[in-house]
Amino acid sequence: MKLIIFDCDGTLVYSEHLCNLALHEELRLLGLESDPTTLLKSYRGMKLAKIIESLEQQYRTIFPKDFEPKYRSRMNSMLATNLKPNKGVKELLESLNISFCVASSAPMEKILLSLRVTGLLNYFKENIFSSYDINSWKPEPGIFLHAAQSMNTDPADCLVVEDSYVGIEAAFNANMKSAYYNPSSTMEPKFNAIQISSMPEVLNIIQAGKKSVTR
């Protein structure tokens, strides 16, 4: 293992609930009933344009043109005041002795805001990659391949740490190893992902990889 590629939302930072709460509030202003938890389960890790398209079909309506900017404004306000890093993330980043980066489906502005608010930005410096910069979103492998190429690392030497099914699928499509981070439950084995419930377990995966190489 030579490179760890972290997703941002839900993986490094506890943002998914806040994002879906903001979405719920914007839907409510349109007179549309929703539940933040259900929204999270349905759309975790997906591109916002796809989420809006699906919701328009579900509610059989067309959202106002300003729906997305209003949602992003509300979301950014919530992130700026309430966002926290996930448990064990800082300790993990300080323990890593191999390269690591962020590759997210979110806009760069949101990634930087999330990392800055949670005190994680200095760990990554310029090693931050957004799907919006290359027009490729998970489950397409593009953002992970772009990150690996930018970090001068072969995809086979990368480990992706993700909290979403679409992210795990993107790692599989990129021919990368993956760790599915879910501290509250487990999932059925999928795309050869290693299941982890805490961030320190990433170190165990790295160590296991080193042992397999020496053998």
Side-chain angles (χ1 to χ4, degrees), residues 23-184:
L23 183 57
H24 162 75
E25 290 294 333
E26 288 302 316
L27 290 171
R28 185 180 61 81
L29 291 177
L30 297 179
L32 302 173
E33 291 296 324
S34 67
D35 173 69
T37 301
T38 301
L39 290 171
L40 173 56
K41 290 180 179 178
S42 299
Y43 300 118
R44 182 186 288 271
M46 288 181 58
K47 178 184 178 182
L48 180 58
K50 291 289 186 182
I51 296 174
I52 292 176
E53 180 182 341
S54 175
L55 289 171
E56 287 180 330
Q57 292 176 354
Q58 176 184 334
Y59 292 111
R60 298 182 179 180
T61 187
I62 299 296
F63 294 167
K65 291 183 178 180
D66 63 354
F67 180 84
E68 180 176 342
K70 283 186 174 181
Y71 159 70
R72 289 199 181 280
S73 177
R74 180 186 294 273
M75 175 191 64
N76 287 341
S77 295
M78 288 183 171
L79 295 179
T81 54
N82 297 291
L83 188 61
K84 305 293 183 185
N86 275 327
K87 186 177 180 180
V89 167
K90 287 186 178 180
E91 292 79 3
L92 171 62
L93 297 179
E94 291 172 357
S95 300
L96 290 175
N97 57 8
I98 62 175
S99 298
F100 56 89
C101 65
V102 175
S104 169
S105 288
M108 185 63 76
E109 178 185 7
K110 181 186 176 186
I111 303 171
L112 294 176
L113 171 64
S114 297
L115 296 178
R116 187 180 302 112
V117 168
T118 55
L120 300 178
L121 186 58
N122 286 338
Y123 290 104
F124 295 95
K125 297 182 171 55
E126 73 278 5
N127 299 325
I128 302 170
F129 308 100
S130 166
S131 287
Y132 283 79
D133 290 339
I134 63 169
N135 292 312
S136 178
W137 284 264
K138 307 165 189 176
E140 298 170 4
I143 186 59
F144 291 147
L145 293 174
H146 173 65
Q149 182 179 28
S150 299
M151 300 291 290
N152 298 310
T153 307
D154 190 283
D157 294 322
C158 297
L159 173 69
V160 172
V161 183
E162 266 280 358
D163 73 309
S164 71
Y165 292 129
V166 293
I168 294 298
E169 184 177 356
F172 178 82
N173 291 335
N175 294 314
M176 296 178 179
K177 302 175 186 67
S178 61
Y180 175 74
Y181 172 66
N182 190 337
S184 59

